[in-house]
Amino acid sequence: MKKKLILPSIAFLSLAPFAVFAQIASSPTFTLEKAVVSNGGGASSGTTFSVEGTTGQPAAGENSGTTYRLQGGFWNSNLAPTAASLSISGRVFAADGGGLRNAVVFLTDSTGATRTARTTTFGYYYFEGIGGGQTVIIGIRSKLFQFEPRVMTLNEDLADVDFTPSGTEENIKR
């Protein structure tokens, strides 16, 4: 029984100083003594400043002066769509259900820039490095078949964006 209590006790006692240290921040000009989310607010001050805050929403937002900028609260008022780099991948099918090789897949982004990719032997394609939050057009050029282009809004990586020839969906076997 004593062995079961020793290991958790050692772990707790060895990590306790780090937990306290994580709650205290300081520099040569200030000391932040209380930084507990559930504290309901409080004041911190140093030789050149004083900050009073609360964990409630009314104090959220940005406050600034000639020599400082303070962003506080849970909600940031400057939320904007991310410019994360996203990818689109899928497969282009022939009328017989197999992958269509050497088809040209084109992607036109919201600025009008067009990228192209050729399908692999089994009809797969892949685009990466696409800015998120934009609407793109994806289309296929093939000497053998016609495909309907698609308009898509990108908010996350997209996989399995597959294309089948126009008017032949009922003939394709997957």
Side-chain angles (χ1 to χ4, degrees):
M1 182 72 171
K2 288 183 181 181
K3 287 183 181 180
K4 290 182 181 180
L5 294 175
I6 291 174
L7 285 177
S9 298
I10 291 172
F12 175 76
L13 292 174
S14 64
L15 295 176
F18 295 109
V20 172
F21 182 77
Q23 297 298 318
I24 300 171
S26 64
S27 83
T29 60
F30 75 91
T31 300
L32 180 63
E33 294 178 358
K34 293 184 180 179
V36 178
V37 172
S38 62
N39 72 349
S44 294
S45 61
T47 57
T48 60
F49 76 94
S50 175
V51 176
E52 290 188 28
T54 176
T55 57
Q57 186 56 35
E62 182 178 310
N63 295 302
S64 61
T66 56
T67 59
Y68 74 94
R69 179 175 173 254
L70 177 65
Q71 179 73 36
F74 293 111
W75 310 109
N76 184 348
S77 59
N78 297 323
L79 295 176
T82 179
S85 180
L86 302 176
S87 66
I88 298 176
S89 62
R91 193 170 182 198
V92 179
F93 290 96
D96 66 359
L100 182 63
R101 70 176 181 188
N102 289 326
V104 177
V105 182
F106 62 90
L107 182 142
T108 304
D109 66 19
S110 59
T111 67
T114 300
R115 306 181 199 193
T116 60
R118 269 199 199 272
T119 57
T120 65
T121 303
F122 300 106
Y124 291 98
Y125 71 92
Y126 180 76
F127 291 101
E128 64 182 342
I130 307 163
Q134 65 176 316
T135 300
V136 299
I137 300 170
I138 305 172
I140 312 294
R141 283 190 215 122
S142 167
K143 294 178 183 179
L144 302 174
F145 304 102
Q146 290 186 338
F147 297 86
E148 293 294 321
R150 294 192 190 163
V151 178
M152 308 178 93
T153 300
L154 299 180
N155 294 315
E156 62 185 348
D157 290 334
L158 298 177
D160 299 322
V161 181
D162 298 340
F163 288 86
T164 57
S166 298
T168 59
E169 288 84 3
E170 64 276 0
N171 298 327
I172 293 182
K173 302 170 193 164
R174 290 192 199 175

